[in-house]
């Protein structure tokens, strides 16, 4: 929270610090809000779209997760984690 407090426009802080940690702790709704904020601050943040896809997949929102993975891949075709997430959705 301190990094965000110091720079509330830092998209990566929402993604790397808060979104991942909250998701790992099982707070998917709060993590989702962090990813949404990261995307709002930087719509080109492919990692934020990937993280959002991961949360949505956990929540059972497969189509929404797939759309996030596709957007992450569109923004960064080298984002291997987005391909992995997309594969996990498609194999279900």
């Amino acid at each position: 929270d301190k990094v965000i407090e110091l720079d509330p426009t830092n998209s990566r802080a929402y993604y790397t610090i808060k979104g991942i940690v909250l998701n790992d702790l099982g707070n998917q709704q709060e993590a989702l809000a962090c990813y949404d904020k990261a995307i709002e601050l930087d719509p080109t943040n492919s990692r934020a779209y990937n993280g959002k896809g991961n949360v949505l997949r956990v929540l059972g929102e497969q189509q929404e997760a797939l759309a996030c993975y596709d957007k992450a891949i569109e923004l960064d075709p080298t984002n291997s984690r987005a391909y992995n997430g997309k594969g996990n959705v498609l194999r279900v």
Side-chain angles (χ1 to χ4, degrees):
D1 286 340
K2 186 69 171 172
V3 173
I4 294 168
E5 182 182 314
L6 293 171
D7 183 5
T9 64
N10 186 336
S11 173
R12 292 184 191 272
Y14 280 96
Y15 158 70
T16 41
I17 296 171
K18 230 171 164 184
I20 291 173
V21 170
L22 288 168
N23 190 36
D24 287 348
L25 292 172
N27 297 331
Q28 278 75 36
Q29 293 304 325
E30 290 180 61
L32 197 55
C34 286
Y35 288 120
D36 285 339
K37 183 65 173 179
I39 292 166
E40 176 188 323
L41 292 170
D42 180 5
T44 66
N45 186 337
S46 79
R47 290 180 176 182
Y49 280 100
N50 183 66
K52 182 176 179 177
N54 291 338
V55 173
L56 290 167
R57 184 166 46 89
V58 167
L59 293 173
E61 303 293 336
Q62 305 304 321
Q63 291 306 309
E64 292 88 348
L66 191 58
C68 286
Y69 293 132
D70 284 341
K71 184 64 175 180
I73 292 165
E74 174 188 323
L75 292 169
D76 179 6
T78 66
N79 186 335
S80 60
R81 291 178 184 206
Y83 286 101
N84 185 56
K86 182 175 181 176
N88 287 330
V89 169
L90 293 175
R91 79 173 176 189
V92 171

